[in-house]
Structure formats: structure tokens, C-alpha cells
Amino acid sequence: MREVAVIGAGMTKFGERWDTSFRDLCTEAGIAALEDANVAGEQIDALFVGSMSAGRFVGQEHVGALVADYVGLGGDLHVPATRVEAACASGGLAFRQAVAAVSSGMSDVVIAAGVEKMTDVGDSTDVLAGAADREWESFAGATFPGLYAMIACDYMHKYGLTREQLAQVAVKNHFHGARNPFAHFQNEITQSTVMNSTLVASPLRLFDCSPVSDGAAVVVVCPLEKAREFTDTPIKVLASAQAGDTIALHDRPDFSTMGATVAAGNSAFRQAKLERKDIDFVEVHDCFTIAELCAIEDLGFVPKGTAGKFTEQGETQLGGKLPVNTSGGLKACGHPVGATGIKQIWEVVQQLRGEGGKRQVEGAEIGMTQNVGGTGATVVSHIFRRA
Ligand code: COA
């Protein structure tokens, strides 16, 4: 197996992008990534595109071919393009396919893209519900805010998490998002903003939820040994892990523990031969505030039931012991579902290059990502180091 490096990254601004089409979002992020990697179209061997539900969001299927065509890899170059789908983990999984293609020796220079254009449809809640068990959850009325609200109720009951501690996740992620020019929301908020916002699914309020967003993100990978032909700042992929779980939340033994995050995290740490204390910062899947608390516990950074206090003490904010979601996370940076996993990697690249600007983690050398599909039926996790 060959070692793999990220040599370029680009993203669009996330948000309500009514000015831009699905294909133009991909093209914008793709051009940014290719320019960043100093790679020409002729050098690209393969493309993987993560997209959860382009068919229902914009009526477009066959998006691998569409994206390849519009970034100039289709017609004359005939680059093989493959769509990858694992609900909100589609982006992270597309990246994992790109890593596998390079490490196996099948391809040299590979693009991993993620894209979603969600704001053009009125029934995004129903489209997203397709990531759960349609027959046993969605048909019974469970939405994603509803499912994560059940996780939050279970967690609060078991561990005594306070409403203030939960709100602090959103306050912290808006603080980071306000420092990210690509974020959907770039405004700071207070705990009372969260606690006085509209109730969505008790106990989750509007500001506990990630928004419905449009956006795309793209990264370029190649063998580590060739990376310096393209860039002076390659980012080495230390681990690529994936794990699964039951698709329905009600089949889990413990709502507050995401078994796939535990398994993917353990696998990632084994591959990287690292301990939790070696990680300088992490991008996790905070589709709802409760999900961030579960994630940092299930990845093993803090004991179960303590993430609320850890967050309240400021340890997950820039300057804390473990900065979490410096991009603004899904909450403030936005959550165009297929793009999120690649955006997390884009953020790791910025941080490890020292290009995080006002949200730079001082001395960042090792970063980690955790990308979730559904309520945790798919989890993808990667660890990266500045090469
Ligand atoms: N956080 C903060 N503000 C938000 C927001 C969010 N998550 N979502 C929308 N807003 C703001 C909008 O910017 C808008 O503000 P404005 O009036 O100043 O322009 C206002 O709230 C109303 O926006 P609208 O789009 O009408 O909201 P909505 O009520 O239709 O949707 C949610 C709100 C929470 C239901 C929706 O964002 C949602 O479903 N989020 C979860 C998405 C999800 O499940 N993703 C998959 C996770 S696994």
C-alpha cells in the first residue's frame, strides 16, 4: 500500500446559493482545488463525487459524469468519474475511495469532491429523512431533528447535561464560523440566542440545528512520494477508517453512544499509531449540537458524559485543549450534506498549512475528521499530519 497525501483543496462559500447552479458549485470548488494543487486536467486519473440526493434536491442523477464534464475532465480526457453515496457521509466516503485508489496503486492523481444544492426544494426535511430507515422511522413521522432530539433526551437523562451546556456548542461554533469567510453563518451568538430560538424538536431549538445549505468542496490526492512535484505543503493521510451500524436508531443498545464512531475512531487511531492526546484539533459531525458532544466522547477524547462540561469550560474553542470544528462546524459553516465530509478535510488542510487566518490553531500538526451518515449507520474518520 502506498502512502497518500492531499496536495490541494478548494471550496465554495456555503449558504443559500440561489445565484449558482449545482454544476457551477462543483466547477467553482474544482477549479480552486486544481489551482491550489498545481494540477492540470491531463494529470488526473480519477474523480469521486460525494452527493447524497442530487436526484431529489435538483432532479439530477449521474452526477459523477456531470461534474467530470463541467470541470473539463469528461469530453476529451475521458476521466473515470464515480458517484459515492452514504447520506451525510457521502463526502468523507468519496475521499476514502480516492485514498484507496491511490494507495492501491490503481491511480496516481485523484480528485475527491462533495456537493449538494439543497435550498431549491421545499421538502428538504423529507429528502433528508431518506437517510434514516424510511419504513420504520420516517413513515412513522421521525425527522432528523426528531431523531437527534431523542438522542439529546436520552443523553440529558443519563448524564445530567444542561440546556446551557448544549447551547454552548452552537455559541462556540458560531464563534469559529464568524472567522471563516466561507461559512454559511458568520455571526457570533450568545447562549440566549440559542435558548430563545424557535423550538424545532424538543429539546432542540433552531440554533441547535445545522442549516439547509448549498455548497461544494474538492480536494486532490496523490502518492506521498510524488506530492512535492505539486506542492511544498503536502498533508499526509495517516488513517482512513469507516464503520457501520444499524440504520434505525431504535435498534441501538444505547442512543447516546454512536457505535460506528467508536469503531471508526479506534481503527483510525490504530492505523495512525497515535494516541488521543496527539490530536491538535478535530472536525466532527455536529449536525445537531448533541451530535458534537457524543462525537468527542465516542472518539475517546473525553469520558462519556463529560463533553458538556468540557465545552462549557471553553476547552473545545480556539485556544482550548482540543479545538473542535474551527470551520464553524455544520452548525455555522453550513451543511450541504454531500459536501460536508470534504469541507472537513479542506479545513484540516488550511489548519495544517497554517492558513487558518483568524481561526488558526497555534502549532497545529495533526488533525482528525469524523463524518456521519444518518444517525450513525455510516461513519468515516480520517487523520492527517503536516508532511
Ligand atoms: N441555525 C440558525 N438560523 C437558521 C437555521 C439554523 N440551523 N436554519 C435557518 N435559519 C434562519 C434562516 O437564515 C432564516 O433567517 P432570516 O429570517 O433572518 O433570513 C430563518 O432562520 C428562517 O429560515 P428557514 O429556511 O425558513 O428555516 P426553516 O424553519 O425552514 O428550517 C430547520 C429550520 C432547523 C428546520 C432546518 O434548518 C433544518 O431542517 N435543519 C436540519 C437539517 C438536517 O436535518 N440536516 C441533516 C442532518 S443529519
Side-chain angles (χ1 to χ4, degrees), residues 244-319:
D245 205 336
T246 64
I247 186 135
L249 184 63
H250 59 247
D251 285 329
R252 311 261 172 86
D254 174 6
F255 280 18
S256 299
T257 300
M258 219 174 256
T261 297
V262 176
N266 286 340
S267 167
F269 278 104
R270 264 197 311 274
Q271 290 175 42
K273 300 186 179 67
L274 291 175
E275 294 178 37
R276 271 62 180 178
K277 66 174 173 44
D278 298 322
I279 302 293
D280 296 314
F281 63 98
V282 61
E283 285 282 306
V284 301
H285 198 95
D286 59 313
C287 48
F288 299 92
T289 43
I290 187 64
E292 176 169 314
L293 299 180
C294 292
I296 60 174
E297 293 173 355
D298 297 341
L299 290 172
F301 290 113
V302 293
K304 202 74 212 167
T306 65
K309 189 142 194 73
F310 192 66
T311 302
E312 189 176 46
Q313 290 167 339
E315 301 295 11
T316 57
Q317 185 155 325
L318 272 173

Side-chain angles (χ1 to χ4, degrees), residues 88 125 128 144-145 185 200 206-207 209-212 287-288 331 335:
C88 305
T125 301
L128 290 166
F144 266 91
F185 297 125
V200 174
L206 180 66
F207 277 80
C209 305
S210 58
V212 170
C287 48
F288 299 92
K331 172 67 205 77
H335 186 26

